[in-house]
Structures are given as C-alpha cells and as structure tokens.
Amino acid sequence: MENNDTKDDQANPLQKVDHFYAELVAHYGDADDREVRAAAKLLLVALEAFRRHGGPGWRRLVDEYLVLLDQDPDKFDRIIKCQRYPDRPQRSMY
C-alpha cells in the first residue's frame, strides 16, 4: 500500500511528536485543560522511557531539562526550535 502522506514521512522526530500531540488534543475535544491532559500523557510515556532506558542517571537528565526550562527558558526555546526546524538558520544556542 502506497503512503501519500509524504509531508509526515519527511517530518523529523520532534515534528512527529508535535503532530501526535495535536491529535491527542483533538481527542479530548472540548474538555477542560485538553492541552494539559495531552501533554501529561506524553510526559508519562517519556518519563517511563527515561526510567526504563536511561540507566541509573535517568533522573538527573530529566532534572537538567527542568532546570533549563526554569532558569533559561529562552535557551530551552532555542533548543526546541533547532530540533523542530533543523533546516532553518538558527542563531547560536549559547
């Protein structure tokens, strides 16, 4: 069977997660906090994967992301944009 959705085939991993997040939000319809509910589901899966595959230092890596988001949200945003749009010219993350 041929897949005609070439745009999704060419999406990078973060773009695919963004697309899936949008599907989860849509799944919740008009529910209160549907964006938070969808994000919570993704976070649960991500934390399970960190714990399962991240070895004994998995918590430290999660904490590094949380500290970065809390203490330097602009840098966090630049990292996300770099990964979301890798072909676009980016200014330095640092």
Side-chain angles (χ1 to χ4, degrees), residues 19-54:
H19 180 76
F20 184 60
Y21 170 75
E23 288 180 17
L24 287 173
V25 170
H27 167 79
Y28 286 107
D30 292 331
D32 290 341
D33 299 324
R34 65 182 184 249
E35 294 86 357
V36 173
R37 291 178 183 197
K41 297 300 184 253
L42 292 174
L43 181 59
L44 287 171
V45 171
L47 289 172
E48 178 189 32
F50 271 113
R51 186 188 65 183
R52 183 178 296 157
H53 304 290

Side-chain angles (χ1 to χ4, degrees), residues 16 36 42 52 54 68 81 88-89:
K16 289 179 182 184
V36 173
L42 292 174
R52 183 178 296 157
L68 178 64
K81 287 177 186 173
R88 287 187 186 170

